[in-house]
Amino acid sequence: FSLDLDVIKQAVERLTWVKSATVARVWPDSISVTVTRLDPVARWEDGRLVSREGIVFMPLVEEAGKTAMLPLILADTVEYAPEAIRFLKRFEDIAAKARARVQSVAVFLSRQLDRHFGDAARHGASIELGRAVSSDTVFERLQLVLDYYKQVCETLRGCPSFIDARYEHAFAARWPNSQFESNENSLGGR
């Protein structure tokens, strides 16, 4: 009878991986605690995790191996986490249509946004998308790159490791390490 349920609720919600908790008395002599966990959708650069709401939190030790394949968020400060997650979701939607996977999202103080993705064969390319001048600028730039990515790989006889897509309606691609390597070999024999 003497336990303060609000104190218990606050103590449970201070755990970094807890999104919310409800605490209730169960008569005659018990307490029920229900916990809603934060659902990680990305990794923060220092090893913490990021929820779909943009909350950066410490993972449970046993989750370390399960989260290794989540996209990585790079940013100057955790204040950019909600913005990075918002961009990540849109980038993942665009990349999925091209059978690509977003590996990381970088948000820097200058508000320049880098997006890194790997194609279905896991042959990764770093894509610089530049500043988010309008609400859809960086998404349109990523779509342009993905629309022409296969053609660029064929033209260069290998897939580029870096693409600069900061230009309006165009992008530049860095030559692959071996410009004479066949596209078939660079993609793992597809």
Side-chain angles (χ1 to χ4, degrees), residues 39-43 49-54 57 70-71 85 88 92:
D39 183 27
V41 295
R43 296 173 292 129
L49 298 175
V50 186
S51 72
R52 67 181 74 257
E53 299 84 14
F57 64 98
L70 292 176
I85 293 300
L88 174 63
E92 286 178 329

Side-chain angles (χ1 to χ4, degrees), residues 3-21:
L3 289 175
D4 186 347
L5 298 184
D6 285 334
V7 171
I8 295 171
K9 177 180 171 32
Q10 291 170 8
V12 171
E13 287 181 341
R14 277 196 295 271
L15 296 171
T16 62
W17 52 272
V18 174
K19 181 177 181 178
S20 65

Side-chain angles (χ1 to χ4, degrees), residues 37 49 54 106 132 171:
R37 296 173 46 129
L49 298 175
F171 60 87

Side-chain angles (χ1 to χ4, degrees), residues 4-190:
D4 186 347
L5 298 184
D6 285 334
V7 171
I8 295 171
K9 177 180 171 32
Q10 291 170 8
V12 171
E13 287 181 341
R14 277 196 295 271
L15 296 171
T16 62
W17 52 272
V18 174
K19 181 177 181 178
S20 65
T22 55
V23 180
R25 288 190 202 284
V26 179
W27 297 101
D29 58 358
S30 300
I31 295 176
S32 170
V33 179
T34 305
V35 175
T36 303
R37 296 173 46 129
L38 288 168
D39 183 27
V41 295
R43 296 173 292 129
W44 194 254
E45 60 187 300
D46 64 3
R48 293 181 287 174
L49 298 175
V50 186
S51 72
R52 67 181 74 257
E53 299 84 14
I55 299 168
V56 179
F57 64 98
M58 289 298 298
L60 295 171
V61 175
E62 61 268 12
E63 290 181 328
K66 298 175 187 173
T67 59
M69 292 302 293
L70 292 176
L72 181 65
I73 303 291
L74 304 165
D76 291 331
T77 175
V78 296
E79 293 172 2
Y80 294 150
E83 180 179 23
I85 293 300
R86 188 170 33 91
F87 277 92
L88 174 63
K89 176 65 178 134
R90 292 270 313 264
F91 287 132
E92 286 178 329
D93 291 345
I94 294 168
K97 292 175 188 170
R99 295 182 38 185
R101 182 179 162 272
V102 177
Q103 293 176 335
S104 66
V105 175
V107 182
F108 299 106
L109 185 60
S110 64
R111 295 296 187 171
Q112 177 174 319
L113 300 167
D114 287 336
R115 304 294 170 259
H116 304 278
F117 80 98
D119 67 15
R122 304 231 188 269
H123 182 80
S126 175
I127 304 172
E128 184 173 338
L129 298 172
R131 295 178 187 266
V133 178
S134 72
S135 60
D136 290 329
T137 304
V138 292
F139 305 115
E140 292 166 358
R141 291 175 184 165
L142 178 60
Q143 186 64 59
L144 178 70
V145 169
L146 294 177
D147 287 346
Y148 290 95
Y149 187 74
K150 184 176 179 180
Q151 184 178 347
V152 168
C153 291
E154 290 170 0
T155 302
L156 296 178
R157 306 187 119 234
C159 295
S161 60
F162 177 76
I163 296 173
D164 185 350
R166 294 177 292 171
Y167 311 103
E168 187 174 345
H169 308 296
F171 60 87
R174 183 178 296 153
W175 285 96
N177 290 338
S178 172
Q179 61 183 341
F180 301 106
E181 181 180 29
S182 75
N183 188 33
E184 182 177 300
N185 290 337
S186 71
L187 291 176
R190 278 205 276 176

